[in-house]
Amino acid sequence: MLLKAGWDPDADGLFGAPPVTVFIGADAHSSLFSSLQLIGFGYRRVTTIGADEQGRMRPDDLESAMAEAGGPKIVIAQAGQINTGDFDPFGEITTIAKAHGAWVHVDGAFGLWAQASPRYRHLSAGVEAADSWATDGHKWLQTPYDCGFAIVRDRAIHERAMTQWSSYLPAIGQGDRVPSALVPELSRRARGVPVYAMLKALGRKGVAELVERHCRLARLFADLLGAEPGIHIRNNVVLNQVIVSFGEGAESADITKAVIARVQKDGVMFAAGAEWCGGWVMRLSVMSGATQEADIEISAAAIIAAWRAVQS
Ligand SMILES: *Cc1c(COP(=O)(O)O)cnc(C)c1O
């Protein structure tokens, strides 16, 4: 965006650059703010766009916020909200963003993998119109940690930001694929090997089946828990995420925390909590390749037992 505005950020940095406005959904992941901090944009210098009850960015809010801003713009959208698992409406968001000449980046840490399944692909319809996407191998693909992917539509822009040159390094010919020209480091371990191994082992169908099994099991989890009086499913279970609160009214946050503590102490399964819509929820994320229906039944029974124990 800065190159388009006549400023070379690779050479001249951000001091004195035209200000870039970053638009970000109210329920975006904390790592985006961390990244904005690291690259010198600052986590506070963002325009926050309202989100709905599923944590999805509101297109009408984006439209009015973008209409007010001048200069280069970046919109950061999300595939897979960490609590609800839901997706920003990419079709509308990318249409608005493109009309304002913005760069669209998508945080799809786990949610982008829904693209692998014909049954769940519709959730991220329109996502392909973005300019860059981030997703993780170490979540749904089951690879070891730090196998993340940054996918950038414009290869030249990406290489320009990453490439370093020195006379001692091998000369690069036209059209050569030079791994170190795509990442910040010259030296790194071969993360591509476990990623390749997982994709090769699972295949296209295997990845789709993994996604579909986890989504089906999340639905089962919600059905089993929702049948128990006093347990409330707080999201539309569209993917692999289920958020749950326990008890009623103002006491619900404390009761939910007590149930989480009890579940953790019992040690049958693990769940933690998060703030959601001014209250507190238990977060359930079905993501392990080993998880089967029986695990969900055992886990739901453990949560229900903890809830009953907290009540007594
Ligand atoms: C996990 C997650 C991240 C952080 O990714 P890491 O690769 O674990 O640092 C960012 N965004 C979303 C939506 C996530 O679920």
Side-chain angles (χ1 to χ4, degrees):
M1 295 313 299
L2 284 170
L3 283 173
K4 265 198 217 161
W7 184 269
D8 183 345
D10 297 333
D12 299 320
L14 294 178
F15 294 110
V20 178
T21 310
V22 177
F23 301 86
I24 192 164
D27 288 313
H29 193 273
S30 56
S31 68
L32 296 178
F33 297 93
S34 167
S35 303
L36 289 166
Q37 173 182 339
L38 285 171
I39 65 174
F41 274 45
Y43 63 80
R44 207 158 42 202
R45 294 188 70 234
V46 296
T47 300
T48 306
I49 306 301
D52 67 12
E53 76 294 339
Q54 282 278 105
R56 293 172 295 206
M57 196 192 287
R58 293 184 187 276
D60 45 343
D61 278 19
L62 179 66
E63 174 66 71
S64 50
M66 292 197 84
E68 279 173 28
K73 302 177 183 75
I74 297 172
V75 176
I76 306 180
Q78 183 167 250
Q81 209 282 335
I82 46 151
N83 293 319
T84 65
D86 217 331
F87 295 68
D88 285 346
F90 295 113
E92 291 168 86
I93 286 175
T94 51
T95 302
I96 295 165
K98 296 290 156 182
H100 288 276
W103 179 288
V104 180
H105 174 70
V106 175
D107 172 14
F110 61 97
L112 211 53
W113 291 94
Q115 282 273 323
S117 157
R119 279 193 60 186
Y120 291 94
R121 196 169 292 155
H122 68 277
L123 290 168
S124 51
V127 76
E128 58 283 352
D131 299 287
S132 59
W133 305 259
T135 191
D136 279 335
H138 56 247
K139 288 178 179 170
W140 239 338
L141 193 61
Q142 320 287 316
T143 70
Y145 275 137
D146 75 35
C147 289
F149 311 87
I151 309 166
V152 182
R153 180 185 297 283
D154 186 337
R155 181 183 180 133
I157 290 283
H158 180 69
E159 280 189 348
R160 190 183 197 282
M162 295 293 150
T163 304
Q164 52 183 297
W165 304 106
S166 181
S167 56
Y168 88 94
L169 295 169
I172 297 176
Q174 197 72 28
D176 287 352
R177 183 187 162 87
V178 181
S180 70
L182 299 168
V183 295
E185 311 94 320
L186 281 177
S187 316
R188 61 192 281 168
R189 68 191 180 83
R191 292 174 172 90
V193 173
V195 169
Y196 175 80
M198 280 313 293
L199 288 172
K200 189 78 182 161
L202 290 167
R204 219 177 262 271
K205 252 179 80 187
V207 177
E209 280 167 8
L210 200 63
V211 168
E212 288 167 12
R213 166 157 52 93
H214 289 147
C215 293
R216 183 168 48 78
L217 293 180
R219 191 59 259 169
L220 172 66
F221 219 156
D223 291 344
L224 292 173
L225 294 173
E228 174 75 7
I231 301 187
H232 308 288
I233 307 303
R234 299 288 302 279
N235 63 322
N236 291 332
V237 181
V238 293
L239 203 69
N240 66 323
Q241 305 289 123
V242 185
I243 46 175
V244 190
S245 64
F246 299 82
E248 318 299 327
E251 289 177 346
S252 169
D254 285 342
I255 296 171
T256 300
K257 284 177 188 172
V259 176
I260 291 168
R262 179 78 192 211
V263 162
Q264 291 182 356
K265 182 166 159 283
D266 290 347
V268 175
M269 55 90 66
F270 181 85
E275 202 181 280
W276 186 248
C277 294
W280 202 259
V281 290
M282 175 187 278
R283 291 186 63 237
L284 301 168
S285 187
V286 185
M287 181 131 301
S288 165
T291 302
Q292 301 293 341
E293 201 163 308
D295 303 299
I296 299 300
E297 286 164 0
I298 292 165
S299 298
I303 293 169
I304 291 169
W307 159 235
R308 290 179 183 167
V310 163
Q311 283 173 285
S312 62

